Each structure stands twice: as structure tokens, then as C-alpha cells.
Amino acid sequence: MIRRPIHPLPDTVIAVIAAGEVIERPATIVKELVENALDAGATEIQITLEDGGKQRLFIQDNGYGIPREELPIAVQKHTTNKIEQYSDLDFLQSYGFRGEALSSIATVSKLTVRSRTHQEDTGTELVVMHGKVGQSTSIGMSIGTQVLVEQLFAKLPARRKFLKSALHERKAILDTITQLSIAATNVAFTVTEQEKTLFYVPAEQSLVERLTYLFGEEFSQQLWPFQYQDTLLKVHGVLGSPQLARRGKPTQHVIVNRRPVSLPSLGTVVREAYGSSVEPKAAPSFILFLDIDPAQIDVNVHPRKETLQWQDESAVFQQLRTALGQHFQVQYQPPSNSPPLKVHDSGRQTLPELHSTLKSSAPTWYHALATKERTILQVHNTYLISETAEGLIIVDQHAAHERVLYNQFLELFHQQLQDRTVAELQPPMVIHLSPSFSNLLTANLETFTAIGCQIEPFGDQSFLIRTLPELLKEHHPQNVIESVLEDIANDVPLNGIDQLAHRTLAYLACRSAVKAGDPITQDQAQVLLGKLQHTSYAFSCPHGRPTIQTFSWHEVEKWFKRK
Ligand code: ADP
Ligand code: MG
């Protein structure tokens, strides 16, 4: 290998490399230009595309504009009217602050900017050809700014080749606009291509109105409003019902200080709060706005500002957990004077996710089960079909029974845990486990003890079982422990007795519930649906599968073209 001496890169190369960090594809241009429009106080933003934005992008706003004499400055590198010095980032209210977008776009395209402020009678137009700034000219236009981007990456064939099909680029643009339109519900957005309107939302909408526009009525009818304030954090937004949870891509938007950001770790915190109401592999839908002192976050950690860093992430997430915990109301609190059953971490005894009553804050879908007289039809020896005032329901008998039993077991289990009733095995039983199970059990011995399974290592992957929770005494300890360990191995690692208790009881419920394929009588069906109605988290089984599907009468009428 021959070594060449280190030398500085020419400015033109530096400019293109820097531009590449910011300007990746048409959607990132749209994001930057829309953010500029929002920073300028626009209430109407119109975007016109050609070929998914690859041929032409035009963005028009009614914001405060750029004065004639400043226009040539705006397209220069690192010029901004948003901050003066670095410490201003501690008070940042705007999307932009680096002064990079216009100059970067101008470096990699033919950029035309037209702008007029309300003090000016005419507008000014400035063209920058792949980095070369032209002369300003006067033009007639309304107040605001219009930016036209053509010949994107025309001088950079390698980057141009990197662009995806018009379909993909268009989708990325629409995703970007969707995000920003959720963050700015007061602003009207229109996207058109070849005279076709691809996206439209009017100005001055409430969050729910906007979500209805974007995702439809069915979606917005399954949302809980959510609001919370703590020392660090103000949170508001909506949480989707468990029915809106998805395995693939649920609708999740996080907006921190008006800025849409991607924060997977925050999604995990929300997911945890939903607990067993959502299938293990699925994630809930939610739209959350967090307001925090700008000094507590760093938005300067990503070239396109798509994510951010917290100064104290654990403190923020802790407050968020508290907020969510209060939302999924904790009903059950063990009395503080009851003798602990060798629970090492007594702060975690509450099983909050499980004891929550959703009813108080429940939206309409929750009451779908409330019904009096009804006939129940069992079909396929598995599903129960019935009606409520709102519509038609189909219930999965196994999942529903599992949920009912689980909640009953949970109550009993907690009672027994409090009374310290455990079943002592006489004599203690020795079980032998596989290496990986033995490993997993050893790591979680204390947690098992906390739920009433007193287990001791007995050498060589063997364990001595001294006690079991009263509820489990009829079951073979090896089966119970193995299936719980299997469950733990397949899923998120165990943290604390809530999860262990949950898994153990879910196992028990599943074993005891009526199976799919079991014929049941009309009376049994009545009892089951009656109980389900008074059960929290009735809409999913403890493993998160749905127990019930509802079809509103409106939907049914649409099937038959009555509406
Ligand atoms: P930044 O947004 O980080 O300040 P940009 O390169 O995106 O940097 O824009 C440079 C400057 O041009 C902005 O600070 C703003 O003053 C002005 N500007 C850009 N777009 C608009 C717009 N749509 N309306 C009003 N001013 C704008
Ligand atoms: Mg900007």
C-alpha cells in the first residue's frame, strides 16, 4: 500500500460532502423547506411534486418571508436568523438553527427562491445553479416564500442513482408531511402531483380532528386522550386502544418540543405500560407530545435532526412511566403493614398493569360488551356470536375464558401472596433442567421466591422445590417452571415479580380455559360473556391476542349497502 500525504480537500468537495449529510433525497429537502416555512410562521404550506419529487419540488408558504437584501445571504453556508451563539440552543424554539439547508440544497441542485415580506411591494427571485449564486431580480408575488428545486443531483450521478423509484420517494415525502402535519395541527398542508391532490389537511384543527383526517374515523375513535405534567416534563397526546396495536408498523409519533423525532427507546417505555393488553410481538399506536426545557435535550446529534439526546434519559423516562402508570390506573396497592413474603424489592409488588381499571377513562369501544338480553350462537365450536346495542360481536371462547380466569387468578394470587399462603411440598421435590433453563432459573431464583416458589439449587442443573404458590399446587412443578422459563426465554427478559407472576398466571389460565373446539352450552356462553363484560383488559387475552371483534351496526349496514 502506497501512502499519500494528508492534504486539505477543495472547498467545492467539502461543500458537496456536507450537503450530502443533510440532503439525502427529495423527502429530506421537503422536510427542511417545510420546517423553514413553519419557522416563518406559515399557516398554509403547499407542496407540488413531479416524478415523486425527483424532477421537481415546489414549496410555497405564507410565512413572513425573506427581505430582498437578505436573500443572497440566506443561500450561503451557515447563515441563519434563528440563533446567535451556541448557548442559544438552550432556548431553541425553532426547527432550524444550523443555517445549512438552503445552502446544501443549492449545492446539489438548481435552486430558485422567491420571497416577499409584508413590508415589500414586490418579491425578489434568486437562482442558484449547483452552488453558483445568480443575480436577484424583482417579481410580483404574494407575501411569503416559494422555493423551487430542480435538477437534483444532476452533477452527482452517483447520488442520483441512489434515489429510489418515484413511488418510494413520493411515499417518503408523504410520510414526512404526515409527521410534520401532526406536529403542526394549526397549519394547512397540501401536496399535489400532476394536478392530483395527494394530501390535504386544513388549518386550525385539533389533534383528534387532524388524526381523523389522516388515519380515518375508525382510528380516531379508538384513542384515549392523555395528559400529564411533572417537574421535567409535560406530556399530552393520545394512546391507541389495544386494538390499534400492530405487529408490523403501528402508528407511532413522538413530538418533542414541536419536533417530530424517532425515539425507539421511548416506544419501548410506552409498550411496557400496555403490558399484557397487547400481544407480545405487537406494539401499540400512540401520538405523544413531550414538552421539556430545551436545555434538557440536544437536538444537534443528528445531521438531519431526526432524533435527539436527553440530558437525563432515565429521569425523563421515569416521569413518562409514572404518567403512563397513572393513566392505566393502578387500582390495587398492597397495604403497607402486611408482612412481606420474602419480597426483596417490595416497591415492585403492585402488578400495576394487571390491576388497572380501564373503565373510568374508557372510550366507547370499551363499552361494546355492555348488553342485556341476547342470544349467543356458538360456531365452529370456537366462536361465540352475539349482539350489543352498538353492533355485532364475535368472541374467541378460549381467549375470552383465558382472560376471565387470568384476572380471577390474579386476584386470588395476590390475596394469597398477602396472606403468605404457600403450599409446602412434603417432601420437597427435585427437578432437573436443561443447561439453558437451569441458567435462567438460577438468574431469577429470587424472583421465583418472591411469588411463593421457594427453590434452591441442588447441584448439576437440579433444583429443590420447597414451596409453590397455593394456586399452583395441583400442577406438576416441573411443567409449570419449564413452561414459564420457556416463555421468559422467548420474550423480553424477566424484570421483577410482576412479570413472573404474569407469566405464571397466564400459563395457569391457558391450561384451565375452555379450548377452541370444545362445545359449550348456551348457559356457559352466557356466563362467559357476562364475566368478560366485568373484566378489565377484556379485549385481549393475557398473551395479548384479541378476545373479541366488534362490528358496529353502521359497518354492518354498509356491508349490505343500506347506508
Ligand atoms: P436555518 O433554518 O437553520 O436557519 P436554512 O438554510 O434552512 O437555515 O435557512 C436560512 C435562513 O433563510 C433562515 O434562517 C431564514 O431566515 C431564511 N428562510 C429560509 N426559508 C424561509 C422561509 N420559507 N420563510 C422565511 N424565511 C426563510
Ligand atoms: Mg432550515
Side-chain angles (χ1 to χ4, degrees):
M1 206 46 134
I2 299 164
R3 184 187 176 279
R4 285 185 287 181
I6 299 173
H7 61 278
L9 287 170
D11 283 349
T12 46
V13 178
I14 294 173
V16 172
I17 292 173
E21 303 242 310
V22 188
I23 303 310
E24 219 191 359
R25 57 195 298 193
T28 55
I29 299 182
V30 168
K31 170 176 179 286
E32 292 294 338
L33 296 179
V34 168
E35 289 184 352
N36 280 346
L38 293 171
D39 279 344
T43 54
E44 250 191 80
I45 300 175
Q46 286 171 34
I47 298 138
T48 317
L49 315 178
E50 218 170 275
D51 198 27
K54 285 161 50 165
Q55 280 308 320
R56 197 169 182 274
L57 269 172
F58 179 68
I59 292 169
Q60 177 169 17
D61 70 57
N62 64 349
Y64 55 49
I66 308 171
R68 169 161 312 189
E69 60 286 1
E70 290 182 28
L71 195 54
I73 307 171
V75 297
Q76 300 295 331
K77 263 182 297 184
H78 312 307
T79 54
T80 181
N81 70 344
K82 296 167 197 175
I83 63 170
E84 302 278 334
Q85 52 197 10
Y86 193 77
S87 59
D88 289 348
L89 288 184
D90 285 353
F91 307 96
L92 193 70
Q93 300 287 340
S94 58
Y95 288 100
F97 57 85
R98 291 190 194 133
E100 262 183 337
L102 284 185
S103 66
S104 299
I105 299 166
T107 308
V108 298
S109 70
K110 175 184 176 190
L111 173 75
T112 308
V113 187
R114 302 182 191 122
S115 201
R116 181 185 151 198
T117 64
H118 77 270
Q119 290 98 340
E120 296 170 323
D121 295 331
T122 56
T124 309
E125 177 180 288
L126 183 66
V127 182
V128 190
M129 284 294 267
H130 306 280
K132 272 212 190 69
V133 185
Q135 290 296 318
S136 301
T137 51
S138 276
I139 49 152
M141 65 179 288
S142 51
I143 292 164
T145 302
Q146 302 172 10
V147 180
L148 175 63
V149 181
E150 298 163 294
Q151 303 174 18
L152 178 62
F153 299 140
K155 298 248 165 110
L156 300 162
R159 300 215 51 160
R160 174 108 199 141
K161 260 207 324 239
F162 203 68
L163 294 180
K164 299 206 175 110
S165 68
L167 188 80
H168 272 91
E169 298 300 341
R170 183 183 302 117
K171 178 176 181 299
I173 290 173
L174 292 173
D175 286 347
T176 301
I177 297 297
T178 302
Q179 277 193 337
L180 285 164
S181 75
I182 292 171
T185 56
N186 58 321
V187 178
F189 290 85
T190 318
V191 182
T192 52
E193 180 164 3
Q194 292 189 319
E195 324 269 278
K196 270 215 306 269
T197 303
L198 306 179
F199 186 103
Y200 168 72
V201 287
E204 295 301 333
Q205 288 189 303
S206 70
L207 177 63
V208 171
E209 280 168 345
R210 178 131 305 179
L211 296 175
T212 309
Y213 249 81
L214 294 174
F215 307 122
E217 199 144 326
E218 204 181 319
F219 179 89
S220 62
Q221 275 176 355
Q222 303 191 60
L223 301 172
W224 287 302
F226 175 63
Q227 206 164 1
Y228 184 80
Q229 182 160 6
D230 209 328
T231 48
L232 263 179
L233 206 61
K234 235 162 103 180
V235 193
H236 79 277
V238 290
L239 298 168
S241 84
Q243 302 305 297
L244 291 179
R246 296 284 175 271
R247 274 181 175 227
K249 281 217 163 121
T251 304
Q252 298 189 343
H253 293 272
V254 180
I255 292 122
V256 179
N257 292 358
R258 292 174 55 229
R259 187 188 302 278
V261 279
S262 154
L263 288 171
S265 51
L266 194 147
T268 310
V269 172
V270 180
R271 171 67 189 83
E272 278 167 11
Y274 275 77
S276 70
S277 68
V278 162
E279 196 190 345
K281 294 215 172 68
S285 293
F286 61 85
I287 292 103
L288 287 182
F289 293 76
L290 278 63
D291 284 307
I292 186 163
D293 176 359
Q296 293 288 328
I297 54 174
D298 187 355
V299 288
N300 203 15
V301 290
H302 188 281
R304 292 179 298 279
K305 308 180 204 110
E306 285 164 13
T307 185
L308 55 77
Q309 215 153 47
W310 309 96
Q311 204 170 77
D312 186 352
E313 179 177 271
S314 67
V316 170
F317 284 5
Q318 200 42 51
Q319 295 200 351
L320 186 63
R321 273 193 200 99
T322 310
L324 293 163
Q326 284 192 4
H327 176 83
F328 291 96
Q329 269 176 37
V330 182
Q331 198 184 37
Y332 178 87
Q333 287 290 345
S336 50
N337 56 2
S338 73
L341 181 136
K342 287 188 193 141
V343 178
H344 13 273
D345 183 1
S346 54
R348 286 195 57 89
Q349 289 188 58
T350 50
L351 301 171
E353 49 149 326
L354 312 169
H355 272 284
S356 45
T357 21
L358 300 177
K359 278 184 182 156
S360 54
S361 61
T364 47
W365 57 267
Y366 191 83
H367 300 294
L369 270 177
T371 168
K372 296 168 254 120
E373 289 301 304
R374 66 196 150 194
T375 330
I376 303 172
L377 180 67
Q378 189 197 31
V379 294
H380 210 55
N381 280 344
T382 300
Y383 305 106
L384 308 175
I385 300 181
S386 189
E387 64 173 305
T388 71
E390 278 91 36
L392 201 61
I393 59 171
I394 305 185
V395 173
D396 178 316
Q397 66 185 36
H398 174 68
H401 197 201
E402 250 187 318
R403 166 54 73 188
V404 168
L405 286 175
Y406 175 84
N407 287 26
Q408 284 174 358
F409 288 157
L410 184 67
E411 221 158 279
L412 205 58
F413 173 78
H414 239 284
Q415 196 52 51
Q416 293 177 351
L417 199 64
Q418 256 184 68
D419 303 344
R420 311 185 67 203
T421 1
V422 286
E424 216 163 300
L425 303 189
Q426 291 287 3
M429 180 183 257
V430 178
I431 63 165
H432 189 80
L433 297 176
S434 71
S436 75
F437 276 176
S438 140
N439 207 359
L440 207 53
L441 182 56
T442 309
N444 292 295
L445 272 184
E446 295 198 343
T447 319
F448 273 87
T449 309
I451 69 157
C453 300
Q454 210 182 324
I455 304 175
E456 290 160 24
F458 206 57
D460 251 7
Q461 300 165 42
S462 292
F463 295 85
L464 189 70
I465 315 223
R466 289 190 180 280
T467 65
L468 282 181
E470 185 74 19
L471 265 173
L472 289 174
K473 69 174 178 201
E474 310 290 325
H475 294 252
H476 193 286
Q478 177 125 17
N479 292 350
V480 179
I481 289 168
E482 278 191 343
S483 39
V484 171
L485 289 174
E486 190 162 350
D487 224 17
I488 297 169
N490 285 335
D491 208 348
V492 274
L494 194 64
N495 62 45
I497 74 163
D498 286 12
Q499 279 179 31
L500 181 59
H502 161 64
R503 285 166 206 279
T504 313
L505 298 176
Y507 163 82
L508 207 56
C510 182
R511 283 307 168 95
S512 320
V514 50
K515 300 276 169 302
D518 290 349
I520 62 175
T521 66
Q522 182 67 215
D523 279 354
Q524 288 169 324
Q526 292 285 3
V527 171
L528 179 56
L529 288 204
K531 285 199 166 147
L532 190 62
Q533 187 183 322
H534 297 293
T535 296
S536 53
Y537 282 134
F539 278 75
S540 59
C541 82
H543 304 103
R545 285 188 298 275
T547 53
I548 179 166
Q549 296 290 345
T550 58
F551 303 94
S552 68
W553 291 128
H554 182 74
E555 262 178 288
V556 174
E557 275 159 0
K558 277 206 302 210
W559 296 345
F560 299 102
K561 309 256 180 265
R562 284 175 175 274
K563 279 250 164 108

